[in-house]
Amino acid sequence: MVAILFQLMIWAFGLYVLHFVIKSAVSKGIDESEKVHQLEMMINQIRDENRTNINS
């Protein structure tokens, strides 16, 4: 009986660690995608400024 409880505790701890790893990976992925979006917007703005400067 003690062995089964010990195995359940190890299994529950493993699930907790897995949940934490997945949660942090998802949040970092969202942060990275936001950074990429901001860089794309900056690049588009610079392109637009260059086009208007060239056409002026």
Side-chain angles (χ1 to χ4, degrees):
M1 184 68 179
V2 174
I4 293 173
L5 289 175
F6 185 70
Q7 287 177 340
L8 284 174
M9 285 176 39
I10 291 174
W11 186 70
F13 181 72
L15 285 178
Y16 174 75
V17 170
L18 182 63
H19 172 263
F20 180 73
V21 168
I22 291 173
K23 183 178 172 183
S24 63
V26 167
S27 67
K28 287 181 182 177
I30 292 171
D31 291 344
E32 292 301 318
S33 67
E34 181 62 29
K35 289 178 186 175
V36 169
H37 179 67
Q38 289 175 353
L39 286 173
E40 288 175 342
M41 291 185 66
M42 287 174 58
I43 290 171
N44 288 336
Q45 181 181 3
I46 292 170
R47 282 184 187 156
D48 291 342
E49 289 175 0
N50 284 339
R51 286 181 186 151
T52 55
N53 289 339
I54 289 172
N55 292 334
S56 297

